[in-house]
Amino acid sequence: MVRTQTNTHTVRYDCCSTWSCLCIYITRFRCFSSSHFLSTHLSPPPLSLSFSADGNYLLSCGSDKSLKLWSVSRGTLLKTYSGHGYEVLDADGSYDNSQLCSCSSDKTVILWDVATGQVTRKLRGHAGKVNCVQFNEEATVILSGSIDGTVRCWDTRSRKFDPIQILDEAQDGVSSLKVSEHELLTGSVDGRVRRYDLRMGQLHVDFINSPITCVCFSADGQCTLTSSLDSTVRLLDKSTGEMLGEYTGHKMKGYKLDCCLSSKDTHVLSCSEDGHVYCWDLVEGSLMLKLPVGKAVVQSLSFHPSETRLLTAMEGRVQVWGAEPEETEEEVVVVQQEKA
């Protein structure tokens, strides 16, 4: 591994290492809800979707300039939020489900009141479309990443509409960002994953050498996961930059597609341009499941924060997938008796 240190900037380059874990399990998925789940987003199709922090709600963003809030258990539309001038590219909800934030190709970030559906404030400052947005844990700050190569931090409590901080280290558009406690993880088209330690004032950079489409932290906070346009998903040690896993087989050449980890960090999942969701064992790196979603590009996915549930979006059809229940010994006996 090659590392360079300059002041507070650490640059790391990919390397390989072996990794082991004590236990793994195989998850099987079945579809228990189909295209009717988000019927009003069928045309135009949703561009992004995500579970709420508690997993009870679903946010979908559409090219119809709106974002929609859904009940996951009932599959019903709760409210539509309209206020952007162009397609909505990403959205996030506060931990207490009282606020939403969204970003759009219209270069704005909007803070919403969930109950009333009203715009609390509209934030301007990005020079191009805004690709990604997220609250911090307390929902006191909104962070937004744009094609203009900057991440802007907005104080949701301030009367001022200017960003409180601008991070402009990216040499190309910022495609994805995630916040975890005092750390900010960003992925850029310049092929670099940047991790900001906001408490220590440090920046760590991992060079992937391919445009980044999605980044996320592992649930235990020890690793980062990145997907890129070389059709590869990589698991990196957050502290050292060591590459702990490399996952291939899917197709990601021309679309900004999602990747994620399962709620217990046991599996790696990725969208694909061939109409499937690929699921790998995190430790072994072996392909455990090739989930057939449809015949078009799987545009977005989201894994439930605590349960074995998966959301997928394709051509306006959003599906909820859940783990098949394992057969008990009593069920097996009943089946055998029926066959006899």
Side-chain angles (χ1 to χ4, degrees):
M1 179 178 67
V2 180
R3 296 185 64 188
T4 61
Q5 176 87 24
T6 306
N7 296 329
T8 60
H9 291 59
T10 303
V11 181
R12 300 191 296 263
Y13 295 86
D14 285 349
C15 68
C16 295
S17 67
T18 57
W19 201 44
S20 61
C21 185
L22 294 177
C23 63
I24 59 175
Y25 69 89
I26 299 174
T27 303
R28 296 174 295 167
F29 290 100
R30 64 176 174 86
C31 177
F32 59 83
S33 183
S34 57
S35 58
H36 70 277
F37 185 70
L38 296 186
S39 58
T40 60
H41 254 328
L42 286 175
S43 180
L47 302 175
S48 175
L49 72 161
S50 60
F51 279 109
S52 61
D54 58 12
N56 293 326
Y57 303 99
L58 162 66
L59 273 173
S60 66
C61 307
S63 52
D64 58 357
K65 308 176 188 178
S66 74
L67 62 149
K68 290 177 168 61
L69 181 68
W70 305 81
S71 167
V72 174
S73 60
R74 292 180 292 170
T76 55
L77 175 65
L78 301 177
K79 193 175 284 291
T80 299
Y81 303 83
S82 301
H84 281 290
Y86 290 95
E87 59 189 5
V88 183
L89 300 177
D90 195 19
D92 187 36
S94 61
Y95 274 71
D96 62 1
N97 294 321
S98 66
Q99 299 181 93
L100 300 175
C101 62
S102 60
C103 62
S104 168
S105 294
D106 64 7
K107 308 178 187 178
T108 68
V109 174
I110 293 183
L111 177 66
W112 308 84
D113 181 273
V114 169
T116 65
Q118 298 299 308
V119 175
T120 304
R121 61 180 57 193
K122 183 176 285 190
L123 305 167
R124 296 179 174 89
H126 282 293
K129 70 177 182 179
V130 188
N131 291 319
C132 45
V133 66
Q134 192 178 358
F135 283 112
N136 68 340
E137 187 171 352
E138 297 80 16
T140 56
V141 177
I142 298 173
L143 298 99
S144 57
S146 168
I147 196 173
D148 65 10
T150 68
V151 173
R152 295 174 186 254
C153 308
W154 315 86
D155 189 337
T156 60
R157 302 166 298 178
S158 174
R159 294 183 179 180
K160 297 182 179 180
F161 286 81
D162 297 325
I164 57 176
Q165 188 174 7
I166 300 176
L167 307 173
D168 58 1
E169 287 78 14
Q171 302 302 307
D172 209 325
V174 177
S175 56
S176 178
L177 65 80
K178 290 294 185 295
V179 184
S180 177
E181 297 181 349
H182 61 277
E183 292 184 313
L184 168 65
L185 187 69
T186 69
S188 172
V189 181
D190 66 11
R192 287 168 171 81
V193 179
R194 294 173 172 86
R195 180 173 59 87
Y196 297 84
D197 189 321
L198 303 176
R199 183 176 59 188
M200 301 298 294
Q202 295 180 341
L203 169 63
H204 305 276
V205 181
D206 293 307
F207 181 56
I208 302 299
N209 199 31
S210 180
I212 308 298
T213 65
C214 185
V215 296
C216 60
F217 288 104
S218 59
D220 63 10
Q222 301 301 308
C223 304
T224 63
L225 190 72
T226 68
S227 61
S228 51
L229 289 182
D230 59 355
S231 298
T232 305
V233 179
R234 295 174 175 87
L235 183 73
L236 304 179
D237 184 280
K238 188 184 73 174
S239 300
T240 66
E242 285 187 277
M243 189 166 69
L244 305 177
E246 192 173 52
Y247 312 92
T248 59
H250 62 299
K251 182 181 180 183
M252 192 181 299
K253 296 292 186 181
Y255 290 84
K256 178 183 176 295
L257 304 181
D258 294 338
C259 69
C260 69
L261 289 160
S262 60
S263 56
K264 297 182 180 180
D265 285 345
T266 54
H267 291 78
V268 174
L269 299 99
S270 175
C271 295
S272 180
E273 295 173 14
D274 63 6
H276 294 79
V277 167
Y278 285 69
C279 178
W280 298 271
D281 181 274
L282 181 139
V283 177
E284 301 296 332
S286 56
L287 182 64
M288 307 302 294
L289 179 68
K290 185 178 176 182
L291 184 66
V293 180
K295 297 181 179 180
V297 176
V298 183
Q299 298 160 312
S300 184
L301 60 76
S302 179
F303 206 94
H304 193 280
S306 59
E307 301 175 6
T308 309
R309 288 190 181 186
L310 176 69
L311 293 172
T312 61
M314 171 191 287
E315 291 186 332
R317 180 182 64 190
V318 172
Q319 291 174 284
V320 185
W321 306 79
E324 289 183 347
E326 295 184 1
E327 290 183 337
T328 64
E329 291 184 5
E330 292 181 358
E331 289 175 337
V332 173
V333 170
V334 171
V335 171
Q336 288 177 345
Q337 289 177 346
E338 289 178 351
K339 289 183 177 179

